[in-house]
């Protein structure tokens, strides 16, 4: 089962980068906020159909959830909005590596302190080095993108 989760997650990453590229291009015509709205509207309709036919939970449990858990909805909207905007300015790979770096940085902090009732995994040298390498790769990708953009505009 874990190999399937890895493959599904890999497929999720592939679709996220494809979506970022398409949304970045689309937002030049329709606007960043409008593109983000259309993405969430379409996703909401698709998920409503999935819930209707395959849902197994209690959708009304949202009214019983603590407010801090509902904040994830707004975080998702902000993520997509920032992502659509960033792709237009710095490209898909720089946006993707920045997102991954940000996820790893906050993930390490969340794991270390056990925030949001998560498993506590302390920050060690290996994790610190992994973050450092991500930051270094972000630097080189950003510099490469900037150089390519400058050469293309000359």
């Amino acid at each position: 089962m874990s190999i399937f989760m890895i493959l599904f997650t890999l497929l999720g990453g592939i679709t996220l980068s494809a979506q970022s590229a398409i949304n970045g291009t689309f937002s030049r015509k329709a606007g960043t906020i409008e593109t983000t709205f259309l993405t969430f509207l379409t996703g909401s309709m698709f998920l409503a159909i999935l819930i209707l036919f395959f849902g197994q939970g209690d959708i009304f449990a949202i009214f019983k959830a603590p407010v801090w858990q509902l904040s994830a909805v707004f975080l998702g909207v902000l993520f997509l909005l920032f992502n659509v905007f960033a792709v237009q300015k710095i490209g898909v790979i720089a946006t993707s590596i920045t997102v991954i770096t940000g996820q790893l940085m906050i993930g390490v902090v969340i794991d270390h302190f056990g925030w949001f009732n998560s498993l506590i995994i302390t920050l060690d040298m290996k994790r610190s080095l992994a973050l450092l390498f991500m930051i270094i790769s972000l630097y080189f990708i950003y510099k490469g993108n900037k150089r390519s953009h400058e050469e293309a505009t000359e």
Side-chain angles (χ1 to χ4, degrees):
M1 182 63 162
S2 61
I3 189 73
F4 289 117
M5 288 300 115
I6 290 170
L7 291 174
F8 288 148
T9 306
L10 183 63
L11 183 60
I14 290 167
T15 58
L16 183 61
S17 288
Q19 179 199 26
S20 296
I22 294 166
N23 275 347
T25 303
F26 180 56
S27 69
R28 289 185 202 125
K29 291 184 169 93
T32 302
I33 297 171
E34 293 80 1
T35 299
T36 305
F37 172 74
L38 181 62
T39 300
F40 276 98
L41 180 65
T42 305
S44 295
M45 291 187 302
F46 178 71
L47 287 173
I49 292 169
L50 286 179
I51 288 170
L52 185 63
F53 291 103
F54 303 107
Q56 298 174 348
D58 177 11
I59 192 139
F60 296 107
I62 60 172
F63 297 111
K64 301 172 193 164
V67 175
W68 70 269
Q69 290 176 349
L70 297 176
S71 69
V73 174
F74 299 107
L75 295 175
V77 171
L78 287 175
F79 165 74
L80 186 59
L81 185 64
F82 294 158
N83 202 46
V84 170
F85 182 73
V87 166
Q88 304 174 54
K89 305 294 183 188
I90 63 174
V92 175
I93 189 63
T95 300
S96 296
I97 197 76
T98 304
V99 166
I100 293 166
T101 302
Q103 287 175 322
L104 290 175
M105 290 171 71
I106 194 63
V108 164
V109 172
I110 291 169
D111 280 354
H112 183 77
F113 293 107
W115 291 351
F116 313 116
N117 298 319
S118 67
L119 183 65
I120 295 176
I121 303 171
T122 57
L123 179 61
D124 60 6
M125 184 58 73
K126 291 177 185 176
R127 289 175 148 230
S128 299
L129 280 174
L131 287 176
L132 178 63
F133 287 135
M134 288 296 296
I135 292 167
I136 291 169
S137 67
L138 174 60
Y139 172 79
F140 284 121
I141 287 172
Y142 179 75
K143 283 296 200 181
N145 283 3
K146 191 174 178 184
R147 188 176 324 111
S148 293
H149 179 70
E150 289 169 357
E151 290 171 1
T153 57
E154 290 178 352

